[in-house]
Amino acid sequence: MDYPFIYDRYVTGKNFIGRQQDSMILGNLLRQGVHVCFYDTAKSGKTSLLQHTLLQQRIHGWQFTVGQMSALNIRTTEQFLRRLGAVAIRSVASSPLEYSAIVEQYLGGTHFVFDREVFSRSDEILSLSWDIDETDIRAILSLPQRLAADREVNLLLIIEEFQNLGFIEDSYHLFKIFESVIAEDNKGCTFIFSGSSYNAMKELFETKGLFYRRVEKFRLSPVDEKEIIDHVVKGFLSSGKVIDRDLLSGVCRMFRYNMFYINHFAAICDSRSKGYIMEPVLMDALGCLLSIHEPRFRETMNNLTTHQVNFLRAVIDGYKKFSTSEVIHRYALNSSANVKRVKDALMKKEILTFNDADEPFILDPLFEYWVKKYFFEV
């Protein structure tokens, strides 16, 4: 069944709203073989943009192969290498016989082997005969490029939740080897690094300069308000309902044009209304949406120290500078040194971020609404 408001999965084609210019630019970068990284908060539209772009590129005749993996649950170098290697091999092969041949040809002399018994039991392509060393690391990291070059294919290798590789012990060593591999001619293999921990990805790719001048940092543009309103109005019309465009304008601003929240909100409105949708329906839908996310918001606040809560209240109250004596005294922040510690902690917890002018904003728009109205009761 075709639903007008899709929020439970990524969207492409006619369901993809806005960011057409972003899609064109991203497609051009990938066609040119430019490694790309893009990051934003969870449910901000990263996967939809990427998948829509790939669909459009296929429609326009570009031939390519996609390998995709997530680093969400990776905590060791071994886990990462085995998964990356398996994704690269599966992107060009489809049978145990082919897997075995590739491992023998490209990973000979390393500690990686293809064990048929392990594969039959757990579907694992790569097994280890000994502890990994630098030769093993370099062999796996360069494997996608070597396969793409030899098979003469355009391989797009997507690594989602890339920031979680920072949890690996001695991740710096892994990243430096990865950098040296990226620096080589990509020979038909393009890496796409995606992450939903905004501050963690920014730390890696901007503050620490990971893959400096080797990877293009791609920023998602805001979705145009008119396009969002047209989409929602059209969705309601499909079920015989009407809504005032001015009301939707307020919804867009409250959710900061986040299509996940807007689509979820609209789906709730659609299920709880008939005919003309008035403001009481919107408030009822907002209450439903908050009830879904409130346990997560409560847990977030329960995990903050008193100083962190006080700092967040200062942000809610509109302060931009936090090391002044007035703010430190009013919000019991103790000292300017403590202010920096609290600021760093809130960024590490992905609650706040700061723009180029060092002005704060809360990353999650619904959390910002909840914490202001229900926690601080402003």
Side-chain angles (χ1 to χ4, degrees):
M1 185 174 179
D2 190 16
Y3 296 99
F5 307 116
I6 301 173
Y7 60 88
D8 60 328
R9 58 189 185 275
Y10 70 77
V11 295
T12 59
K14 68 177 183 178
N15 294 311
F16 183 76
I17 307 302
R19 292 178 176 153
Q20 295 295 341
Q21 186 70 18
D22 284 1
S23 180
M24 291 175 58
I25 294 172
L26 180 58
N28 288 335
L29 290 173
L30 297 179
R31 274 181 176 266
Q32 295 168 26
V34 178
H35 304 299
V36 174
C37 94
F38 59 103
Y39 49 92
D40 210 321
T41 54
K43 300 298 183 181
S44 58
K46 300 180 296 298
T47 303
S48 291
L49 172 62
L50 178 56
Q51 295 299 329
H52 177 76
T53 300
L54 297 182
L55 174 63
Q56 293 302 306
Q57 293 304 313
R58 289 194 190 278
I59 290 173
H60 288 89
W62 187 36
Q63 301 295 316
F64 57 88
T65 299
V66 177
Q68 187 167 352
M69 62 163 286
S70 172
L72 178 65
N73 60 349
I74 289 178
R75 292 297 182 271
T76 68
T77 300
E78 177 188 331
Q79 284 180 310
F80 172 59
L81 296 179
R82 291 174 64 182
R83 188 169 300 175
L84 179 65
V87 168
I89 292 170
R90 289 183 191 276
S91 68
V92 299
S94 57
S95 70
L97 189 62
E98 291 178 299
Y99 300 156
S100 179
I102 289 174
V103 172
E104 184 177 345
Q105 178 182 352
Y106 291 90
L107 298 177
T110 72
H111 296 119
F112 287 102
V113 297
F114 177 75
D115 189 315
R116 287 185 177 275
E117 183 179 341
V118 172
F119 177 77
S120 64
R121 186 173 64 248
S122 60
D123 202 37
E124 292 283 347
I125 292 179
L126 295 176
S127 300
L128 277 166
S129 61
W130 200 257
D131 294 338
I132 59 173
D133 56 25
E134 187 163 327
T135 300
D136 300 328
I137 297 174
R138 188 171 293 276
I140 292 292
L141 293 179
S142 64
L143 180 61
Q145 295 176 339
R146 290 183 288 151
L147 287 172
D150 291 351
R151 304 298 174 103
E152 297 183 341
V153 298
N154 295 309
L155 174 59
L156 305 180
L157 208 154
I158 304 166
I159 304 179
E160 297 177 333
E161 304 302 334
F162 183 82
Q163 76 281 337
N164 282 23
L165 297 182
F167 295 135
I168 293 175
E169 186 178 356
D170 199 17
S171 59
Y172 177 79
H173 181 62
L174 174 65
F175 288 147
K176 296 311 291 184
I177 298 176
F178 210 164
E179 276 187 320
S180 67
V181 170
I182 287 285
E184 300 168 2
D185 183 7
N186 63 38
K187 301 174 183 177
C189 175
T190 303
F191 284 98
I192 303 168
F193 305 109
S194 171
S196 60
S197 293
Y198 182 89
N199 290 322
M201 288 290 284
K202 186 176 181 180
E203 173 77 11
L204 288 175
F205 286 93
E206 296 187 28
T207 305
K208 293 183 177 178
L210 185 64
F211 303 134
Y212 181 61
R213 292 185 176 177
R214 305 294 179 184
V215 172
E216 183 74 20
K217 294 184 286 292
F218 188 85
R219 295 288 182 88
L220 275 66
S221 301
V223 182
D224 181 71
E225 180 177 305
K226 183 180 182 301
E227 290 188 72
I228 296 174
I229 292 175
D230 289 344
H231 159 71
V232 176
V233 168
K234 182 180 177 182
F236 283 134
L237 283 175
S238 68
S239 56
K241 298 168 187 175
V242 180
I243 188 169
D244 186 88
R245 298 178 72 92
D246 288 338
L247 287 177
L248 288 178
S249 182
V251 170
C252 290
R253 290 194 298 272
M254 187 183 75
F255 290 124
R256 279 195 251 135
Y257 311 99
N258 181 297
M259 288 305 302
F260 166 74
Y261 279 139
I262 291 172
N263 272 319
H264 196 178
F265 177 79
I268 297 172
C269 289
D270 194 30
S271 68
R272 302 173 77 87
S273 63
K274 295 179 180 179
Y276 201 86
I277 300 175
M278 305 292 286
E279 188 172 349
V281 174
L282 301 187
M283 297 307 299
D284 182 46
L286 179 58
C288 292
L289 190 61
L290 285 169
S291 71
I292 295 170
H293 295 276
E294 187 175 30
R296 173 168 64 92
F297 297 159
R298 286 177 177 269
E299 186 67 18
T300 296
M301 294 305 296
N302 288 340
N303 287 332
L304 299 185
T305 66
T306 300
H307 288 144
Q308 291 165 5
V309 171
N310 291 347
F311 190 102
L312 192 58
R313 176 58 191 262
V315 172
I316 291 293
D317 288 344
Y319 285 93
K320 308 292 188 209
K321 305 297 180 182
F322 304 94
S323 295
T324 64
S325 57
E326 176 197 355
V327 173
I328 290 174
H329 176 73
R330 181 173 180 178
Y331 294 95
L333 296 175
N334 285 355
S335 66
S336 57
N338 188 53
V339 166
K340 185 180 186 309
R341 286 192 293 270
V342 171
K343 172 183 173 181
D344 291 344
L346 288 171
M347 291 178 66
K348 190 171 183 179
K349 292 178 178 181
E350 299 292 337
I351 296 174
L352 291 178
T353 195
F354 289 77
N355 62 20
D356 294 337
D358 204 32
E359 297 172 337
F361 67 91
I362 296 173
L363 287 165
D364 187 327
L366 188 62
F367 173 72
E368 180 178 14
Y369 176 86
W370 177 86
V371 80
K372 182 176 182 178
K373 183 175 178 63
Y374 294 99
F375 188 87
F376 292 122
E377 299 179 344
V378 176

